[in-house]
């Protein structure tokens, strides 16, 4: 394929006018360095304390967004010791429809370690997410119980467990 072949897209690299050398059409665009890290796609989380069911659901619905209509997943939102959101969110995809206690234990061990290091005394909010979910189905209740037990075994405080679906959401445990 040559530089003169027709393409369905306009490539930003091509011969410079007049001299035939390849140039970068974006070279004059300023680089923006993100000093906050690679989590650009994480929605802005509230700085206020999560005090009510409505506060928790609002944050989770905003955070999970259209993925509520996707395949089963578990989302973990970490909170500080005053129940304010930390910029630490863990989505776990491809989870089985029935809770796996070994997976629950492994996830909670990792999250307990992160909270011990980053926010001693902190807690987490768990969201059981699936397209047809949002209430007390077998997926939600089995994962809520397995995750609660694994958290309790590690001394990890679970602030809330929520069920999120494409068309509904509710707090299962507070």
């Amino acid at each position: 394929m040559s530089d003169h072949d027709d393409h369905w897209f306009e490539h930003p690299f091509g011969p410079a006018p007049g001299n035939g050398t390849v140039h970068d059409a974006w070279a004059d665009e300023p680089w923006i360095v993100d000093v906050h890290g690679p989590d650009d796609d994480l929605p802005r989380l509230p700085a206020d304390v999560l005090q009510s069911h409505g506060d928790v659901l609002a944050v989770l619905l905003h955070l999970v967004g259209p993925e509520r209509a996707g395949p089963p997943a578990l989302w973990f939102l970490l909170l500080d010791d005053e129940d304010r959101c930390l910029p630490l969110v863990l989505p776990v995809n491809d989870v089985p429809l029935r809770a796996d206690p070994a997976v629950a234990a492994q996830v909670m061990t990792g999250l307990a370690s992160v909270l011990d290091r980053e926010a001693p005394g902190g807690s987490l909010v768990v969201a059981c997410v699936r397209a047809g979910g949002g209430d007390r189905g077998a997926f939600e209740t089995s994962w809520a119980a397995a995750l609660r037990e694994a958290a309790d075994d590690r001394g990890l405080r679970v602030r809330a467990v929520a069920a999120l679906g494409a068309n509904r959401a509710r707090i299962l445990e507070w």
Side-chain angles (χ1 to χ4, degrees):
M1 190 174 289
S2 75
D3 289 334
H4 303 291
D5 290 341
D6 290 331
H7 300 287
W8 62 271
F9 63 93
E10 183 67 34
H11 197 283
F13 299 97
N19 64 11
T21 61
V22 174
H23 75 284
D24 178 356
W26 294 99
D28 60 342
E29 296 294 322
W31 283 79
I32 299 173
V33 177
D34 180 6
V35 297
H36 301 293
D39 58 350
D40 312 301
D41 58 341
L42 184 64
R44 185 171 305 279
L45 298 171
D48 299 331
V49 174
L50 299 183
Q51 296 180 349
S52 69
H53 292 196
D55 292 345
V56 170
L57 285 176
V59 170
L60 289 174
L61 290 170
H62 179 66
L63 182 64
V64 176
E67 292 185 47
R68 293 189 326 260
L74 301 170
W75 285 65
F76 300 90
L77 171 63
L78 282 67
L79 307 175
D80 68 11
D81 61 343
E82 296 178 8
D83 292 335
R84 289 183 311 238
C85 297
L86 296 170
L88 300 168
V89 176
L90 175 66
V92 178
N93 298 316
D94 299 323
V95 296
L97 290 175
R98 286 305 230 169
D100 181 338
V103 171
Q106 186 175 16
V107 169
M108 289 301 174
T109 297
L111 292 173
S113 174
V114 169
L115 281 172
D116 285 345
R117 188 178 62 249
E118 301 296 328
S123 63
L124 57 99
V125 171
V126 178
C128 301
V129 180
R130 66 184 176 100
D135 210 338
R136 294 184 191 281
F139 170 77
E140 294 81 5
T141 55
S142 71
W143 276 108
L147 293 167
R148 175 71 69 182
E149 182 177 336
D152 289 347
D153 290 347
R154 286 149 188 81
L156 183 56
R157 184 170 65 100
V158 176
R159 178 69 170 110
V161 178
L164 302 181
N167 298 309
R168 59 186 172 194
R170 72 177 300 160
I171 296 295
L172 301 176
E173 296 181 17
W174 188 256

